[in-house]
Amino acid sequence: MSAYKKIAIAGATGTLGPFIVNALLDAGFEVTALSRTGRTNTQDRGTGKATGTLPSTVKSAQVDYDSQDSLVKALQGQEVVVSNLPNYESQPSLIDAAIKAGVKRFIPSEFGSNVSGNKNNAALPVFKDGKVAIQKYLKEREDQISYTLIVNGFFLDWGLEAGIVVDFKGNRPVKVFDGGNGKHSLSTRSDIGKAVAGALLHPEETRNRAVYIYSATVSQNEILDIARKVKPGFEPQVQHVTTDQVLKDSYAGLEKGGESVGPAMLGFILTSCFSDDGYGNDWSEYSDNKLLGIKELSKPDLEKLVAQNA
Ligand SMILES: NC(=O)c1ccc[n+]([C@@H]2O[C@H](COP(=O)([O-])OP(=O)(O)OC[C@H]3O[C@@H](n4cnc5c(N)ncnc54)[C@H](OP(=O)(O)O)[C@@H]3O)[C@@H](O)[C@H]2O)c1
């Protein structure tokens, strides 16, 4: 069993949080969910769907992210903080409060691209002032609190549900980068949950570094072929794009502002996850899957996952 027992999760009620909560409970940790309202109902904020409630064994603590007193009080007695907050500006004060409360490990809201290990990602506007700044903040305080960054690539199951990896509903074409044959590491949210639990079960091996996990390392064309196989007659709509073009459009969208900012940010994220042009998104050769207990999906299991959304 881990050196840690009591884990607080900030932002447990959203798209990823419930999967981490369940994996931590399965591994025998005691979980406290920090929330702005004390709510325990969960919602996939990406798709807007209600997804249930947190298990009754999870303790709930209402916090005000703008109040150090509130955060320190909620974190007294906790050994680890996992942050899933979507807004990065709340994280420095959460880290400060964790240090004041004597928390030993902080897992920041990373859960995506290889930002810490790739300069092209770190320079993208979607990461520069958020994830990169938090990594720096933690590094500067590693003598007071240790940290682990979880790098998992695009959420594979969620990308299928939301129609971003394959759109079975035919609402919009999927952007296929640079010909679609490059392989990229992607993870399901349940494997990301397992990676968080695995990291806390191996605190020394995961101290002050990024850990890399994947459920599948596949090309966009391979996934589209699976979609054709599991739904005979289905022809996915695709839009062939180049990294250069997506970046150009995304910077233009950012410049324009307003409603163009959301799609621009998605363009940067998709570039970091699916471009073949220097974004370091295949870590199958050096992953921490084995250490953290993540099993790569077999071809039939990957087909099953795609078929669930067909
Ligand atoms: N790799 C990928 O494909 C991918 C996809 C999506 C997200 N991510 C990453 O995963 C992490 C978690 O994202 P997520 O989508 O799970 O987060 P989310 O669902 O948007 O939010 C998680 C929770 O944070 C709480 N919260 C606190 N302050 C908030 C605020 N100002 N606005 C909205 N919610 C707030 C809410 O819980 P309460 O109401 O209970 O306070 C919310 O349910 C992020 O780092 C994100 O970048 C990666």
Side-chain angles (χ1 to χ4, degrees), residues 10-16 34 36 39 45-46 65 83-91 94 108-111 126 130-131 134:
T13 55
T15 303
L16 174 64
L34 310 185
R36 295 165 299 172
R39 72 183 172 124
R45 292 200 333 123
Y65 288 106
S83 169
N84 283 308
L85 296 178
N87 60 325
Y88 302 106
E89 53 284 11
S90 291
Q91 286 195 96
L94 185 60
S109 198
E110 281 278 328
F111 306 117
V126 70
K131 299 196 184 206
I134 299 303

Side-chain angles (χ1 to χ4, degrees), residues 51-281:
T51 49
T53 50
L54 295 174
S56 57
T57 46
V58 174
K59 291 185 192 135
S60 174
Q62 188 174 352
V63 292
D64 174 356
Y65 288 106
D66 294 327
S67 156
Q68 272 289 292
D69 285 352
S70 158
L71 291 171
V72 174
K73 195 168 151 226
L75 294 180
Q76 292 292 351
Q78 300 293 331
E79 291 157 301
V80 175
V81 172
V82 180
S83 169
N84 283 308
L85 296 178
N87 60 325
Y88 302 106
E89 53 284 11
S90 291
Q91 286 195 96
S93 107
L94 185 60
I95 294 166
D96 291 347
I99 291 170
K100 278 189 203 138
V103 169
K104 295 181 174 62
R105 176 72 48 103
F106 195 95
I107 298 189
S109 198
E110 281 278 328
F111 306 117
S113 301
N114 181 11
V115 179
S116 62
N118 180 284
K119 288 199 169 66
N120 288 337
N121 283 322
L124 291 174
V126 70
F127 300 133
K128 206 166 57 168
D129 301 324
K131 299 196 184 206
V132 175
I134 299 303
Q135 288 164 12
K136 184 165 177 277
Y137 201 84
L138 281 166
K139 195 155 183 39
E140 287 166 355
R141 287 159 183 77
E142 67 184 27
D143 56 334
Q144 299 170 72
I145 192 165
S146 62
Y147 65 86
T148 304
L149 315 174
I150 311 279
V151 182
N152 45 253
F154 207 76
F155 292 177
L156 174 57
D157 58 326
W158 180 80
L160 288 163
E161 266 175 52
I164 296 174
V165 171
V166 177
D167 187 359
F168 282 106
K169 296 198 180 78
N171 290 331
R172 63 184 157 194
V174 165
K175 281 192 168 59
V176 173
F177 278 77
D178 307 321
N181 288 322
K183 294 198 186 260
H184 314 295
S185 299
L186 314 166
S187 301
T188 62
R189 287 170 293 172
S190 53
D191 277 345
I192 299 166
K194 280 185 204 152
V196 172
L200 300 180
L201 290 168
H202 297 90
E204 285 315 313
E205 299 95 319
T206 59
R207 171 186 293 274
N208 299 341
R209 73 170 179 100
V211 295
Y212 291 80
I213 63 128
Y214 68 96
S215 309
T217 296
V218 284
S219 71
Q220 289 188 284
N221 285 341
E222 283 172 304
I223 296 184
L224 293 168
D225 278 344
I226 292 173
R228 292 182 184 98
K229 180 176 172 190
V230 301
K231 192 172 182 185
F234 170 70
E235 184 49 41
Q237 282 185 53
V238 299
Q239 179 192 2
H240 282 280
V241 294
T242 62
T243 298
D244 281 355
Q245 190 58 48
V246 175
L247 285 178
K248 207 168 143 210
D249 293 348
S250 298
Y251 279 108
L254 204 56
E255 180 88 24
K256 196 168 169 203
E259 284 182 357
S260 305
V261 172
M265 290 304 187
L266 181 61
F268 291 126
I269 290 171
L270 293 176
T271 299
S272 76
C273 293
F274 296 110
S275 164
D276 272 353
D277 201 10
Y279 287 83
N281 42 30

